[in-house]
Amino acid sequence: AQKITQTQPGMFVQEKEAVTLDCTYDTSDQSYGLFWYKQPSSGEMIFLIYQGSYDEQNATEGRYSLNFQKARKSANLVISASQLGDSAMYFCAMREGSTGRRALTFGSGTRLQVQP
Amino acid sequence: SQTIHQWPATLVQPVGSPLSLECTVEGTSNPNLYWYRQAAGRGLQLLFYSVGIGQISSEVPQNLSASRPQDRQFILSSKKLLLSDSGFYLCAWSRGELRLRRGANVLTFGAGSRLTVL
């Protein structure tokens, strides 16, 4: 079974509007972390935001916020006031805590295109 | 501050030739190190990770290998490349201790190495 599922291969949004990128995850661990990364066309992976399974509040970082719904096992990324520079691939990732494994498992990504 | 260097940035190699990609981290000690591969238009697949010198965990059986000869150096190698080895290879590091609270040890990636096997 997929650990991380991103069901939107591509999304379009108008500049200055908000957009939500979906992410659902599968784990039996009680302790885990969820990450979002941005990958522009240059290929670099840029960390955006993190949510821990025990964090009671949704994470926010500037224009990025994470809509964390633990019971639904979803961790959607919300980008407010989209900018042209937000056009990129976005990846959701998870680290499970029970095994002490440090590596992240990534989803297949969503390509976001911001239109002027 | 910490920086991660990865090279070469681009590589075109014939089938059957050897491969060596190198990654080094500066400004930290005893990092966890990772090699991921990304096929065109796809997500990242973990290949290897290391929690210390000489300690390598392999995630996917393939003709690739990894080595960590020094604390902050991670090398991805192959003796004979296959066409299916083409892709974008990313090295990453994170802090040595495992943290799952806020400020968790984020993976920081290098700029990547784009490998084309012909």
Side-chain angles (χ1 to χ4, degrees), chain B residues 41-60:
Chain B
R42 305 288 294 276
L44 277 68
Q45 178 189 37
L46 178 66
L47 300 177
F48 301 95
Y49 71 95
S50 171
V51 298
I53 295 175
Q55 301 177 60
I56 310 293
S57 296
S58 174
E59 290 288 309
V60 181

Side-chain angles (χ1 to χ4, degrees), chain A residues 22-41:
Chain A
D22 295 342
C23 173
T24 58
Y25 59 92
D26 181 25
T27 181
S28 57
D29 284 2
Q30 296 300 310
S31 179
Y32 54 89
L34 297 157
F35 301 74
W36 277 92
Y37 282 82
K38 173 183 177 181
Q39 186 180 42
S41 57

Side-chain angles (χ1 to χ4, degrees), chain A residues 31 37 39 50 101 104, chain B residues 34 36 38 59 100 105 107:
Chain A
S31 179
Y37 282 82
Q39 186 180 42
Y50 167 81
R101 185 169 177 271
L104 301 187
Chain B
Y34 313 83
Y36 283 87
Q38 184 179 27
E59 290 288 309
L100 286 172
N105 36 349
L107 261 63

Side-chain angles (χ1 to χ4, degrees), chain B residues 6-22 35-37 47-48 62-67 74-82 84-90 113-117:
Chain B
Q6 185 180 342
W7 69 93
T10 306
L11 203 58
V12 180
Q13 293 286 101
V15 170
S17 64
L19 171 73
S20 180
L21 302 179
E22 189 163 343
W35 279 110
Y36 283 87
R37 177 170 62 197
L47 300 177
F48 301 95
Q62 67 245 312
N63 68 322
L64 300 172
S65 62
S67 62
F74 205 24
I75 298 171
L76 182 69
S77 304
S78 174
K79 292 182 179 179
K80 289 185 178 182
L81 284 168
L82 306 173
S84 58
D85 291 325
S86 293
F88 190 52
Y89 289 80
L90 288 151
S113 298
R114 194 165 303 280
L115 170 66
T116 303
V117 182

